[in-house]
Amino acid sequence: MIPTLNEERNLPHVFAKLPAGIDEVILVDGGSTDRTVAVARELRPDVVVVHQTRTGKGNALACGFAACTSDIIVMIDADGSTDPGEIPLFVAQLTDGADFVKGSRFSHGGHSHDITKLRKLGNDGLNLVVNVLFGTRFTDLCYGYNAFWARVVPTLDLPDVALPRPTDGSKLWGDGFEIETMINIRAAADGMRVGEVGSVEHARIHGQSNLNTFRDGFRVLRTIFSEYGRMRRMRRTGANRGGVIVHQRPGAGNTPPAHALNRVVNRAPAAGSAADTDPRMHIANVNRGSLRRDDQRSARPRHSRVTSED
């Protein structure tokens, strides 16, 4: 899935790097005034174009998720900063047992060619706050490269795409850049098996980012405390399924049953697997606790889909 806003010059680069085997490409347009939509259709005639109902990246993602029909959803950016060639790394971890996989620019071989020192400092501070409050191990909270099974979308509980835009021109909560933090926290707080994949963030090819360091940074901080309150309320009412889960290695006298060990996402890769050649395939689980009781699931179909965001 690819959210866009005036990205006609960047789309040829992004589409050219999409790996083979993708069932569906969803482009969510936020009202582009250039040839973004026309270029997308020229590059890939089967592209599904969705027009978002309000403004902001969060609303674009929610509209894109609602249009997805495949089993796996992958969020990438339209500006060339996220590398579509990394998609198989995310999908491999999902088919290996993860519920939600997020990209990290600061772990497992990841790197950023775009982030400033100020934004990196802010990201580190926000990471620390989330890890303390939620007992997680995130290394990169505000990166929009994520992949997950489509079945988890209802759990993310994003703002209804049918709601009208506020008359004063503001955004509904969850419609802005805070969406990435909200999604990551809710995935962990719900007890999903969450992992990180090292990802290389490239500088935007053309145009300028819509991100505002201070405005959006404070919005993310507000999101963190809002989500913490939400998690506590859900625990009191019994609405969640067990809080934050951690998959940790067994210690002496604390060996889980064999069926549980087989579900740990960061177990050693099989010999000859892609992980032998790409260090980014090593996943450090970022949520802690015991395995969920509803862990017995039928085998999942292994089809993937891509969406992009601006």
Side-chain angles (χ1 to χ4, degrees):
M1 181 179 73
I2 308 168
T4 59
L5 180 62
N6 297 328
E7 300 287 3
E8 67 167 305
R9 293 191 294 169
N10 293 323
L11 288 185
H13 169 83
V14 174
F15 276 50
K17 299 192 70 175
L18 290 175
I22 292 175
D23 300 314
E24 181 176 51
V25 177
I26 295 179
L27 183 139
V28 185
D29 188 63
S32 296
T33 56
D34 63 3
R35 298 186 67 253
T36 292
V37 172
V39 168
R41 287 174 170 153
E42 291 168 3
L43 294 170
R44 186 157 181 145
D46 64 342
V47 67
V48 177
V49 176
V50 175
H51 296 280
Q52 67 179 98
T53 56
R54 294 186 295 275
T55 61
K57 187 174 185 178
N59 175 248
L61 291 178
C63 291
F65 296 163
C68 289
T69 61
S70 297
D71 300 306
I72 289 176
I73 299 174
V74 183
M75 299 161 41
I76 65 173
D77 289 333
D79 59 7
S81 60
T82 52
D83 182 2
E86 295 174 350
I87 289 175
L89 300 178
F90 289 78
V91 173
Q93 293 305 321
L94 291 171
T95 57
D96 194 39
D99 297 309
F100 186 101
V101 180
K102 65 185 304 296
S104 172
R105 298 164 290 181
F106 312 119
S107 184
H108 319 304
H111 182 69
S112 176
H113 297 283
D114 182 62
I115 196 168
T116 64
K117 291 183 179 180
L118 179 61
R119 286 172 52 205
K120 176 63 167 61
L121 181 64
N123 187 76
D124 290 343
L126 295 170
N127 273 337
L128 178 61
V129 174
V130 169
N131 290 340
V132 169
L133 291 179
F134 295 89
T136 51
R137 297 170 181 163
F138 287 122
T139 63
D140 193 357
L141 184 66
C142 304
Y143 188 41
Y145 203 163
N146 299 312
F148 45 90
W149 292 97
R151 59 178 169 74
V152 312
V153 171
T155 302
L156 300 179
D157 194 23
L158 302 182
D160 189 344
V161 298
L163 292 174
R165 182 181 180 183
T167 56
D168 61 1
S170 62
K171 293 183 177 66
L172 294 179
W173 192 249
D175 275 0
F177 280 104
E178 71 276 3
I179 188 66
E180 294 160 359
T181 300
M182 181 184 293
I183 287 175
N184 293 335
I185 291 177
R186 289 186 179 180
D190 181 66
M192 296 183 197
R193 289 160 294 185
V194 181
E196 289 185 336
V197 171
S199 176
V200 177
E201 179 186 39
H202 302 275
R204 166 183 276 273
I205 301 173
H206 299 288
Q208 294 182 338
S209 173
N210 294 314
L211 178 70
N212 181 288
T213 300
F214 292 101
R215 180 196 64 205
D216 293 310
F218 282 116
R219 199 171 176 97
V220 168
L221 184 61
R222 179 184 167 191
T223 299
I224 293 171
F225 289 108
S226 175
E227 290 302 306
Y228 182 67
R230 178 179 182 269
M231 182 184 72
R232 291 176 62 87
R233 289 192 299 272
M234 292 180 70
R235 284 181 174 177
R236 286 197 300 269
T237 61
N240 69 336
R241 294 182 289 182
V244 179
I245 287 183
V246 178
H247 303 293
Q248 48 196 350
R249 296 182 180 180
N254 186 34
T255 304
H259 74 275
L261 287 176
N262 290 336
R263 291 291 184 175
V264 176
V265 181
N266 64 345
R267 59 183 179 271
S273 68
D276 292 337
T277 57
D278 195 327
R280 293 173 296 174
M281 287 295 289
H282 171 72
I283 301 301
N285 287 279
V286 298
N287 53 343
R288 300 183 293 190
S290 56
L291 293 172
R292 292 207 319 236
R293 292 181 180 178
D294 61 344
D295 209 49
Q296 303 299 325
R297 296 189 178 95
S298 58
R300 305 181 180 93
R302 300 189 179 187
H303 304 298
S304 60
R305 120 180 11 196
V306 179
T307 50
S308 67
E309 43 188 302
D310 184 53

